[in-house]
Amino acid sequence: MTAFFEDPATLPSGLVKLFERSKVSLTLADATRPDCPLIAANAAFLDLSGYRAEDVIGRNCRFLQPEGGAGPVRARMRRFLKMDDVANERFLIPNRTADGEDFLNLVYMAKLGRDADRRLILGSQFRVGRPQGLAPDVYDRALKQDLRKLNELSSGSNWELLASLETLASSHSIIARMRYE
């Protein structure tokens, strides 16, 4: 796999290797810069989003949101970024690929840094999609209520999938933290 970095020399080599080897969609944003731009993205993220590296590096991930924004989940994301005592969080957010296809993105965010100085945000993204035959009003209601209504989108077996995705994202954040410090 390939990864794309704004400046790989500024990152620990273990973190760079994680991005290059992972098949999970990963991004890294710089929380110290205005608008928290992406400074890294791996090939899995580019495949998921349909964008090229030059289209994403240096931009905030909001470019993935559909016209009109992502709704109330954005406020939750902003609160998470300001909270010093919370290191990880997950969000269900509507996104749009480069070719205009809408999809649900289950995003796990983890703050990386030394001690209380968390300078980077690791994002692990998983396409949840819009299940076949789902009524549009259920889809819209789930987005508005964020993860609290995800059960309306899932059958019992999909909860196992979501638990697996959370484990994958948690594993990547633990590895990234170890390689960052």
Side-chain angles (χ1 to χ4, degrees), residues 135-151:
D137 63 321
V138 174
Y139 174 79
D140 293 340
R141 191 168 58 244
L143 291 178
K144 288 178 184 167
Q145 297 176 2
D146 200 11
L147 287 174
R148 291 179 295 275
K149 290 290 183 180
L150 187 59
N151 61 343

Side-chain angles (χ1 to χ4, degrees), residues 20-161:
E20 290 172 343
R21 293 179 181 161
S22 181
K23 294 181 195 263
V24 170
S25 172
L26 298 175
T27 55
L28 195 62
D30 186 342
T32 66
R33 290 172 40 191
D35 207 26
C36 205
L38 293 180
I39 60 169
N42 70 355
F45 175 78
L46 300 178
D47 289 343
L48 173 86
S49 69
Y51 286 90
R52 300 172 303 159
E54 54 269 20
D55 297 328
V56 304
I57 302 298
R59 295 179 68 189
N60 182 288
C61 275
R62 279 189 308 277
F63 69 87
L64 290 169
Q65 294 175 12
E67 188 175 320
V73 68
R74 283 186 58 196
R76 278 190 61 230
M77 294 173 103
R78 283 193 291 274
R79 276 194 306 275
F80 164 72
L81 292 172
K82 291 178 181 178
M83 298 169 68
D84 292 332
D85 59 334
V86 180
N88 303 293
E89 187 58 84
R90 66 180 175 214
F91 307 92
L92 182 66
I93 187 164
N95 280 168
R96 181 170 284 165
T97 63
D99 63 5
E101 180 187 355
D102 292 330
F103 70 100
L104 285 176
N105 192 354
L106 185 57
V107 178
Y108 291 86
M109 294 171 70
K111 297 172 185 172
L112 305 180
R114 292 181 178 85
D115 302 318
D117 184 27
R118 296 187 176 135
R119 305 172 63 83
L120 301 175
I121 307 296
L122 175 70
S124 304
Q125 299 86 9
F126 301 93
R127 182 184 184 115
V128 177
R130 185 172 178 178
Q132 292 287 337
L134 183 64
D137 63 321
V138 174
Y139 174 79
D140 293 340
R141 191 168 58 244
L143 291 178
K144 288 178 184 167
Q145 297 176 2
D146 200 11
L147 287 174
R148 291 179 295 275
K149 290 290 183 180
L150 187 59
N151 61 343
E152 292 181 29
L153 299 173
S154 306
S155 67
S157 63
N158 282 342
W159 284 115
E160 293 173 13
L161 173 64

